[in-house]
Amino acid sequence: MDPVTTRNRRLLSGVAAVVVGAAVLAGCASEPRIAIPQGIPPGPGAALPPIDVDAPGRSAEQLADWAAGQSDALGISVTALEAYGYAAAVMARSRPDCGIGWTTIAGIAGVESRHGTYRGSRVAPDGKVSPPIRGVPLDGAPGLAEIPDTDGGAMDGDPVHDRAMGPLQFIPETWKRWGVDANGDGVADPDNIDDAALTAARYLCERGGDLTAADGWRRALMAYNQSTEYLAEVRDRAAAYSVGVRP
């Protein structure tokens, strides 16, 4: 098995704090909070409009209006939402048996990197996330796997141990096998949210099969990260996005 990430609880500690804070603030709102659906898989969310997934350049931009209509409510940038929607649209054509929803991709990206904004990073209009997001060295410390360097530090900047990279937190070995160009620039870049989102979708569909079924969705998420806590975090986020609210 080649998990995309090896859970780095240090990297996620800040994310967890933000989720808790959001929940507290939501509880103080004057209007009743929309109920978050339970169960697996999470819902598919707002339907995608028809687009030409083979359009030249950054094809995801065709989803600008769709993304802008829900960006504020979800707390996700338009560019990131475009990337998630485009990835789901590509897979709907290439792997219609998979049925992956953009909400699942968004749930993972929210947990992994706050949609490319962890520690002050930003997502540019072309999908590039900067400064690059890197996890801690996977050196076998408590709670971490030990993964000696596999890329000479070329991708993750660490010549001793591998680190998870980018908004979807791929380790170099997995990226080398699965990485794909999704924004038409000819480069498969783990620090580009378009490339990372489509790569994640491809990986999840391959590992889970039918993601519209509970067993398939669980299988896909456990392949992405072997943690039931992680699976629950992603599910909760994706379920919130499915009804148009931020977690």
Side-chain angles (χ1 to χ4, degrees):
M1 183 176 291
D2 53 344
V4 173
T5 65
T6 300
R7 176 53 27 226
N8 172 1
R9 301 313 305 179
R10 291 179 228 169
L11 179 60
L12 276 182
S13 60
V15 177
V18 170
V19 172
V20 171
V24 170
L25 291 176
C28 296
S30 58
E31 296 184 4
R33 182 168 173 81
I34 296 173
I36 307 301
Q38 299 300 306
I40 290 174
L48 296 168
I51 63 170
D52 177 6
V53 297
D54 297 319
R58 186 173 180 266
S59 306
E61 291 177 348
Q62 297 171 80
L63 294 171
D65 290 342
W66 171 86
Q70 54 186 335
S71 175
D72 288 344
L74 301 183
I76 305 174
S77 72
V78 168
T79 303
L81 276 173
E82 290 170 347
Y84 309 151
Y86 178 72
V90 170
M91 299 312 295
R93 187 184 73 173
S94 63
R95 284 289 305 271
D97 58 310
C98 173
I100 188 171
W102 65 265
T103 54
T104 290
I105 306 167
I108 292 173
V111 171
E112 295 289 1
S113 71
R114 300 178 192 164
H115 307 290
T117 66
Y118 183 73
R119 286 189 174 174
S121 289
R122 292 290 181 266
V123 183
D126 64 356
K128 186 73 172 182
V129 175
S130 60
I133 298 171
R134 296 292 180 266
V136 299
L138 296 173
D139 56 6
L144 299 175
E146 182 173 5
I147 305 180
D149 173 66
T150 62
D151 68 328
M155 288 191 288
D156 63 4
D158 190 333
V160 180
H161 292 94
D162 275 351
R163 299 177 183 237
M165 311 177 296
L168 273 297
Q169 288 288 279
F170 287 90
I171 57 175
E173 185 175 16
T174 305
W175 185 263
K176 284 186 285 186
R177 179 177 177 185
W178 292 94
V180 64
D181 171 30
N183 68 345
D185 66 358
V187 178
D189 181 2
D191 295 310
N192 182 281
I193 203 161
D194 296 311
D195 297 357
L198 182 54
T199 298
R202 292 177 65 239
Y203 183 92
L204 290 162
C205 285
E206 181 64 26
R207 290 297 187 237
D210 180 5
L211 267 65
T212 66
D215 286 348
W217 196 88
R218 286 193 189 93
R219 211 165 35 243
L221 266 292
M222 292 300 288
Y224 203 93
N225 193 297
Q226 299 174 43
S227 164
T228 55
E229 180 184 356
Y230 177 86
L231 183 151
E233 289 175 354
V234 171
R235 193 220 72 90
D236 289 349
R237 281 181 171 269
Y241 299 144
S242 77
V243 292
V245 298
R246 65 182 71 195

